[in-house]
Amino acid sequence: MSSVIDGKAVAASVLEECRAEVQELKSKGITPGLAVVLVGDDPASHVYVGSKVRTCGDLGLYSRKIELPATTTQEELLAVVRELNADPAIHGILVQSPPPKHIDEEAVVRALDPRKDVDGFHPENVAKLALEDPTGFVPCTPAGCMRLLAASGVKTAGAEAVVIGRSMIVGKPMALLLMAKGSDATVTIAHSRSKDLPAICRRADIIVAAVGRPEMVKADWVKDGAVVIDVGINRIDDPSTKKGYRLVGDVAYDEVAPKCSAITPVPGGVGPMTIALLMKNTLQAARQLG
Amino acid sequence: MSSVIDGKAVAASVLEECRAEVQELKSKGITPGLAVVLVGDDPASHVYVGSKVRTCGDLGLYSRKIELPATTTQEELLAVVRELNADPAIHGILVQSPPPKHIDEEAVVRALDPRKDVDGFHPENVAKLALEDPTGFVPCTPAGCMRLLAASGVKTAGAEAVVIGRSMIVGKPMALLLMAKGSDATVTIAHSRSKDLPAICRRADIIVAAVGRPEMVKADWVKDGAVVIDVGINRIDDPSTKKGYRLVGDVAYDEVAPKCSAITPVPGGVGPMTIALLMKNTLQAARQLG
């Protein structure tokens, strides 16, 4: 009797919160502004950027899309970042990942004004997350997972949480959020080198899967009544579909769902939250920059 | 048949490494220098600072002890930090904790040049630890614990490690070090809000206790053959001793030791490592600053 956690619905309610906050900021003379920088022609990146800009428009945020050719040099990109850092109409800056291979993405992140780093990847925001300083920006995907847990009424305090994956984009920040004061989960971070991953997962009240391996988490990995948050978005071949593929998560949904008290589907679970938390972060930046 | 991990011996070998490194740096015209700032009259702090300065002298490092009265203002202390930041003879700066209550310790840490922050508490070094950037400084106590594990031949890859305590001084950095690529442990961070701490600890191949509760970890919390690292140093009353107290760890040593494959005693385990790793960090700073 699992309940499906409806990421679209939770995201919509976060966006409604944002809409109200935008009005409040505007009434104080602040129009929150987000700049999205896109280097090159990656089609998926174009889709993501388009939907971010559209969401800004829908909520009443100012947005600026900056499209640069794939031949843009590191120095040219850094010059754009510096300009946006200095632009008072821009409160949040996002450089869409992945950039072309000749770009040093880490150096670009470091060049961002940390007060405008709404992706939360600048070292200053990484540190603030570890130090539980709420003025920092939390990366959108793990922040979205925390909102999904809260919206589903999941109690994290004292719960055993297992995070599969130790990336700085999802795994580590997710672990830090779950163990922080107020969340108070007992957190295990498991990864590709962990022994007996099924046994580790079986002890979890909450599983967050963020490894990028299609349908890795099977039914016998999951304790009855566990909550499962599936961050993975993987393409697998499926000749029966028009596109020839379909999207699946890191969790074998059909067999796992019946055992869970709650589970996020893919798509429609974590995915829609990311953009909603990006908006949240941009409003936080606008409030903090004033 | 547990083996006692001799922290004094391992620390001595780290200090011998340092002695050789100091000679090498001096042959390049660099005399590594450490400044230790002590505000107020805390007797324990005076002992710690004294032993740090003595170790510097013994290894051939330049050291400077700056003793300030308990009435020193925040601004006066920050001025001292800024002077040391600018001083080319000083590669490492340590402000002894705890300062008097009117001092904002976090602001003092942020004022340090992160390249001279040999305690590893500046946000830039916190971030580098999370990002697994080896140019950062790792806090001395967890770095010392990792050295003890390595010196004892403990394999961390794939092992189940349980860290009790989620502080930024020990618990969180310890967890990050154990889960980092190359260490590859499966890490659980448990804390005061964890449910059934004994059961959580029983699954551990490696236990790191860093909670500051005298003899909390009992024999039935520990799996046969586990490795136990005891970071706690607690005073408990003991009228049978001359001082009226004795030092114990967070682990009930006498009952736990027989179950372990290896265990650190208190005192003489983790304690001696901290100062050795402070020297290591100072040499790293001297190398990196050139």
mmCIF file of all heavy atoms in Angstrom, chain A residues 50-73:
data_model
loop_
_atom_site.group_PDB
_atom_site.id
_atom_site.type_symbol
_atom_site.label_atom_id
_atom_site.label_comp_id
_atom_site.label_asym_id
_atom_site.label_seq_id
_atom_site.Cartn_x
_atom_site.Cartn_y
_atom_site.Cartn_z
ATOM 1 N N GLY A 50 15.501 26.424 -21.248
ATOM 2 C CA GLY A 50 14.219 26.973 -21.701
ATOM 3 C C GLY A 50 13.172 26.884 -20.606
ATOM 4 O O GLY A 50 12.440 27.847 -20.339
ATOM 5 N N SER A 51 13.144 25.748 -19.910
ATOM 6 C CA SER A 51 12.085 25.594 -18.916
ATOM 7 C C SER A 51 12.378 26.439 -17.675
ATOM 8 O O SER A 51 11.457 26.934 -17.015
ATOM 9 C CB SER A 51 11.858 24.107 -18.632
ATOM 10 O OG SER A 51 12.422 23.716 -17.437
ATOM 11 N N LYS A 52 13.646 26.664 -17.354
ATOM 12 C CA LYS A 52 13.978 27.560 -16.239
ATOM 13 C C LYS A 52 13.533 28.991 -16.540
ATOM 14 O O LYS A 52 12.927 29.666 -15.694
ATOM 15 C CB LYS A 52 15.489 27.513 -15.946
ATOM 16 C CG LYS A 52 15.918 26.207 -15.289
ATOM 17 C CD LYS A 52 17.427 25.960 -15.314
ATOM 18 C CE LYS A 52 17.718 24.541 -14.787
ATOM 19 N NZ LYS A 52 19.143 24.148 -14.922
ATOM 20 N N VAL A 53 13.842 29.435 -17.738
ATOM 21 C CA VAL A 53 13.482 30.803 -18.133
ATOM 22 C C VAL A 53 11.965 30.971 -18.169
ATOM 23 O O VAL A 53 11.429 31.979 -17.702
ATOM 24 C CB VAL A 53 14.115 31.132 -19.512
ATOM 25 C CG1 VAL A 53 13.534 32.405 -20.110
ATOM 26 C CG2 VAL A 53 15.645 31.241 -19.364
ATOM 27 N N ARG A 54 11.259 29.948 -18.666
ATOM 28 C CA ARG A 54 9.799 30.005 -18.722
ATOM 29 C C ARG A 54 9.206 30.087 -17.326
ATOM 30 O O ARG A 54 8.269 30.844 -17.070
ATOM 31 C CB ARG A 54 9.251 28.768 -19.442
ATOM 32 C CG ARG A 54 8.460 29.109 -20.688
ATOM 33 C CD ARG A 54 7.791 27.928 -21.382
ATOM 34 N NE ARG A 54 8.217 26.623 -20.927
ATOM 35 C CZ ARG A 54 9.207 25.909 -21.478
ATOM 36 N NH1 ARG A 54 9.895 26.382 -22.498
ATOM 37 N NH2 ARG A 54 9.520 24.720 -21.003
ATOM 38 N N THR A 55 9.771 29.302 -16.398
ATOM 39 C CA THR A 55 9.255 29.323 -15.026
ATOM 40 C C THR A 55 9.458 30.697 -14.395
ATOM 41 O O THR A 55 8.578 31.210 -13.697
ATOM 42 C CB THR A 55 9.933 28.221 -14.179
ATOM 43 O OG1 THR A 55 9.769 26.978 -14.851
ATOM 44 C CG2 THR A 55 9.324 28.133 -12.792
ATOM 45 N N CYS A 56 10.613 31.310 -14.648
ATOM 46 C CA CYS A 56 10.852 32.677 -14.162
ATOM 47 C C CYS A 56 9.739 33.597 -14.649
ATOM 48 O O CYS A 56 9.138 34.348 -13.866
ATOM 49 C CB CYS A 56 12.193 33.217 -14.675
ATOM 50 S SG CYS A 56 13.624 32.571 -13.810
ATOM 51 N N GLY A 57 9.469 33.546 -15.947
ATOM 52 C CA GLY A 57 8.452 34.417 -16.533
ATOM 53 C C GLY A 57 7.089 34.194 -15.891
ATOM 54 O O GLY A 57 6.375 35.135 -15.553
ATOM 55 N N ASP A 58 6.778 32.918 -15.691
ATOM 56 C CA ASP A 58 5.489 32.559 -15.125
ATOM 57 C C ASP A 58 5.311 33.122 -13.713
ATOM 58 O O ASP A 58 4.210 33.510 -13.313
ATOM 59 C CB ASP A 58 5.389 31.024 -15.105
ATOM 60 C CG ASP A 58 4.079 30.551 -14.521
ATOM 61 O OD1 ASP A 58 3.033 31.119 -14.920
ATOM 62 O OD2 ASP A 58 4.097 29.639 -13.682
ATOM 63 N N LEU A 59 6.420 33.165 -12.940
ATOM 64 C CA LEU A 59 6.328 33.615 -11.538
ATOM 65 C C LEU A 59 6.539 35.114 -11.386
ATOM 66 O O LEU A 59 6.382 35.643 -10.284
ATOM 67 C CB LEU A 59 7.364 32.886 -10.682
ATOM 68 C CG LEU A 59 7.249 31.372 -10.579
ATOM 69 C CD1 LEU A 59 8.360 30.827 -9.697
ATOM 70 C CD2 LEU A 59 5.883 30.966 -10.031
ATOM 71 N N GLY A 60 6.942 35.760 -12.468
ATOM 72 C CA GLY A 60 7.173 37.199 -12.372
ATOM 73 C C GLY A 60 8.600 37.581 -12.044
ATOM 74 O O GLY A 60 8.879 38.730 -11.698
ATOM 75 N N LEU A 61 9.531 36.616 -12.145
ATOM 76 C CA LEU A 61 10.952 36.953 -11.980
ATOM 77 C C LEU A 61 11.477 37.527 -13.301
ATOM 78 O O LEU A 61 11.015 37.160 -14.382
ATOM 79 C CB LEU A 61 11.801 35.726 -11.649
ATOM 80 C CG LEU A 61 11.844 35.207 -10.226
ATOM 81 C CD1 LEU A 61 10.634 34.324 -9.962
ATOM 82 C CD2 LEU A 61 13.132 34.419 -9.974
ATOM 83 N N TYR A 62 12.474 38.379 -13.167
ATOM 84 C CA TYR A 62 13.214 38.817 -14.344
ATOM 85 C C TYR A 62 14.211 37.721 -14.685
ATOM 86 O O TYR A 62 14.836 37.148 -13.788
ATOM 87 C CB TYR A 62 13.935 40.132 -14.024
ATOM 88 C CG TYR A 62 14.974 40.539 -15.033
ATOM 89 C CD1 TYR A 62 14.612 40.903 -16.338
ATOM 90 C CD2 TYR A 62 16.327 40.563 -14.690
ATOM 91 C CE1 TYR A 62 15.568 41.275 -17.265
ATOM 92 C CE2 TYR A 62 17.297 40.945 -15.607
ATOM 93 C CZ TYR A 62 16.905 41.292 -16.894
ATOM 94 O OH TYR A 62 17.859 41.654 -17.802
ATOM 95 N N SER A 63 14.346 37.383 -15.949
ATOM 96 C CA SER A 63 15.359 36.396 -16.306
ATOM 97 C C SER A 63 16.129 36.838 -17.534
ATOM 98 O O SER A 63 15.626 37.611 -18.356
ATOM 99 C CB SER A 63 14.733 35.028 -16.547
ATOM 100 O OG SER A 63 14.025 35.038 -17.768
ATOM 101 N N ARG A 64 17.331 36.360 -17.617
ATOM 102 C CA ARG A 64 18.153 36.684 -18.784
ATOM 103 C C ARG A 64 18.836 35.404 -19.236
ATOM 104 O O ARG A 64 19.487 34.721 -18.452
ATOM 105 C CB ARG A 64 19.208 37.732 -18.414
ATOM 106 C CG ARG A 64 19.840 38.381 -19.637
ATOM 107 C CD ARG A 64 20.940 39.339 -19.214
ATOM 108 N NE ARG A 64 20.467 40.412 -18.364
ATOM 109 C CZ ARG A 64 21.269 41.184 -17.627
ATOM 110 N NH1 ARG A 64 22.586 40.981 -17.636
ATOM 111 N NH2 ARG A 64 20.789 42.148 -16.876
ATOM 112 N N LYS A 65 18.626 35.061 -20.504
ATOM 113 C CA LYS A 65 19.260 33.860 -21.062
ATOM 114 C C LYS A 65 20.452 34.308 -21.893
ATOM 115 O O LYS A 65 20.300 35.133 -22.798
ATOM 116 C CB LYS A 65 18.254 33.108 -21.921
ATOM 117 C CG LYS A 65 18.797 31.840 -22.540
ATOM 118 C CD LYS A 65 17.690 30.880 -22.943
ATOM 119 C CE LYS A 65 17.141 31.208 -24.322
ATOM 120 N NZ LYS A 65 16.190 30.179 -24.790
ATOM 121 N N ILE A 66 21.622 33.793 -21.576
ATOM 122 C CA ILE A 66 22.821 34.188 -22.298
ATOM 123 C C ILE A 66 23.368 32.962 -23.005
ATOM 124 O O ILE A 66 23.884 32.036 -22.363
ATOM 125 C CB ILE A 66 23.860 34.789 -21.334
ATOM 126 C CG1 ILE A 66 23.264 36.063 -20.713
ATOM 127 C CG2 ILE A 66 25.171 35.091 -22.043
ATOM 128 C CD1 ILE A 66 23.890 36.461 -19.427
ATOM 129 N N GLU A 67 23.196 32.940 -24.335
ATOM 130 C CA GLU A 67 23.642 31.779 -25.101
ATOM 131 C C GLU A 67 24.979 32.102 -25.755
ATOM 132 O O GLU A 67 25.089 33.100 -26.485
ATOM 133 C CB GLU A 67 22.603 31.421 -26.158
ATOM 134 C CG GLU A 67 21.291 30.994 -25.522
ATOM 135 C CD GLU A 67 20.236 30.610 -26.548
ATOM 136 O OE1 GLU A 67 19.481 31.502 -26.981
ATOM 137 O OE2 GLU A 67 20.174 29.423 -26.905
ATOM 138 N N LEU A 68 25.968 31.286 -25.489
ATOM 139 C CA LEU A 68 27.306 31.504 -26.024
ATOM 140 C C LEU A 68 27.683 30.331 -26.921
ATOM 141 O O LEU A 68 27.283 29.194 -26.644
ATOM 142 C CB LEU A 68 28.309 31.629 -24.872
ATOM 143 C CG LEU A 68 28.048 32.747 -23.846
ATOM 144 C CD1 LEU A 68 28.996 32.611 -22.659
ATOM 145 C CD2 LEU A 68 28.207 34.117 -24.502
ATOM 146 N N PRO A 69 28.452 30.613 -27.967
ATOM 147 C CA PRO A 69 28.822 29.523 -28.876
ATOM 148 C C PRO A 69 29.754 28.514 -28.198
ATOM 149 O O PRO A 69 30.436 28.837 -27.215
ATOM 150 C CB PRO A 69 29.546 30.242 -30.023
ATOM 151 C CG PRO A 69 29.984 31.553 -29.459
ATOM 152 C CD PRO A 69 28.992 31.916 -28.393
ATOM 153 N N ALA A 70 29.772 27.292 -28.739
ATOM 154 C CA ALA A 70 30.615 26.215 -28.181
ATOM 155 C C ALA A 70 32.095 26.581 -28.214
ATOM 156 O O ALA A 70 32.906 25.993 -27.489
ATOM 157 C CB ALA A 70 30.381 24.921 -28.951
ATOM 158 N N THR A 71 32.439 27.557 -29.021
ATOM 159 C CA THR A 71 33.846 27.963 -29.161
ATOM 160 C C THR A 71 34.257 29.016 -28.126
ATOM 161 O O THR A 71 35.402 29.457 -28.121
ATOM 162 C CB THR A 71 34.077 28.558 -30.561
ATOM 163 O OG1 THR A 71 33.095 29.592 -30.759
ATOM 164 C CG2 THR A 71 33.934 27.512 -31.644
ATOM 165 N N THR A 72 33.334 29.403 -27.256
ATOM 166 C CA THR A 72 33.645 30.400 -26.227
ATOM 167 C C THR A 72 34.849 29.954 -25.411
ATOM 168 O O THR A 72 34.925 28.788 -25.003
ATOM 169 C CB THR A 72 32.425 30.567 -25.294
ATOM 170 O OG1 THR A 72 31.302 30.934 -26.093
ATOM 171 C CG2 THR A 72 32.667 31.615 -24.221
ATOM 172 N N THR A 73 35.775 30.872 -25.176
ATOM 173 C CA THR A 73 36.950 30.498 -24.379
ATOM 174 C C THR A 73 36.626 30.637 -22.892
ATOM 175 O O THR A 73 35.671 31.314 -22.501
ATOM 176 C CB THR A 73 38.153 31.409 -24.677
ATOM 177 O OG1 THR A 73 37.834 32.746 -24.250
ATOM 178 C CG2 THR A 73 38.496 31.401 -26.166
#
